[in-house]
Amino acid sequence: MRLSAAAAISHGRVHRWLGLGPRSRLDLLRNLVTALVRHERVEAPWARADEMQGYAERLIDYAKLGDTNERAMRMANFWLTEKDLIHKLFKVLAPRFQPHSGNYTRLLQIPNRDGLDRAKMAVIELKGNPYPPLIRPHRDTEKTLLNQLLKGYREDMQRAAAPRAPEGTPV
């Protein structure tokens, strides 16, 4: 969970509130995890997507244990509100992520939601999904570190390639 510096001092808070109460928060997260397993790409407010990411990754970790594992089946039964997705979780997603040890999801920021709240939005997706990749914004300004290093390199190369007057001749 990524929190700002002001929220780094938690005072006993371990997660975001996200709704009316603990039951509402849990229902919201279960619905988001279910949608992610079904569609493999979900658009949601940043806070909800960021909070849900850990639960989705943990569910995939359990699914990799196999459908014969009782704890894995209980977790899948709890987190997936649509029971027909349990088969997809164990037979499609778990084999896809079997060689990987973690980091099964990707969280990308998209433009803020239009309307009254202008909420910060994100797309969370499972890696290896069949959709075309989202275009990540590139910062091609002079101020990025890479561009500063390239600029210095080019200047050095131009100085090295410039013809020099022989030693001892006045310039």
Side-chain angles (χ1 to χ4, degrees), residues 24-84:
S24 169
R25 176 183 180 279
L26 202 56
D27 287 343
L28 175 82
L29 290 172
R30 288 175 66 199
N31 287 333
L32 282 172
V33 168
T34 301
L36 182 65
V37 170
R38 176 170 294 286
H39 302 292
E40 299 191 24
R41 181 183 283 175
V42 177
E43 182 178 318
W46 179 271
R48 291 178 182 180
D50 185 39
E51 190 76 17
M52 181 259 295
Q53 186 176 21
Y55 294 105
E57 297 216 2
R58 213 166 305 136
L59 179 64
I60 293 171
D61 275 335
Y62 277 112
K64 285 169 50 176
L65 298 175
D67 54 358
T68 56
N69 188 314
E70 182 184 344
R71 181 150 176 89
M73 283 300 290
R74 269 192 284 131
M75 291 299 284
N77 192 35
F78 174 78
W79 280 103
L80 298 175
T81 57
E82 299 172 16
K83 302 309 174 196
D84 61 320

Side-chain angles (χ1 to χ4, degrees), residues 76-152:
N77 192 35
F78 174 78
W79 280 103
L80 298 175
T81 57
E82 299 172 16
K83 302 309 174 196
D84 61 320
L85 293 178
I86 293 176
H87 178 77
K88 179 179 181 180
L89 178 68
F90 284 104
K91 300 298 181 197
V92 177
L93 298 180
R96 181 195 304 171
F97 296 117
Q98 199 65 44
H100 307 290
S101 61
N103 202 10
Y104 313 117
T105 59
R106 183 181 300 121
L107 188 64
L108 297 170
Q109 184 176 353
I110 58 175
N112 292 354
R113 180 165 53 199
D114 291 333
L116 296 176
D117 65 349
R118 300 286 298 153
K120 183 178 175 183
M121 297 296 286
V123 169
I124 184 165
E125 63 181 1
L126 293 173
K127 292 182 178 177
N129 63 27
Y131 302 116
L134 291 172
I135 299 169
R136 293 182 179 212
H138 293 288
R139 297 185 339 216
D140 289 334
T141 65
E142 282 189 27
K143 307 229 180 311
T144 61
L145 177 63
L146 180 64
N147 286 339
Q148 288 291 322
L149 292 172
L150 286 172
K151 182 180 173 185

Side-chain angles (χ1 to χ4, degrees), residues 1-4 16 46 50 53 107:
M1 178 169 39
R2 293 164 201 82
L3 296 175
S4 65
R16 293 183 177 99
W46 179 271
D50 185 39
Q53 186 176 21
L107 188 64

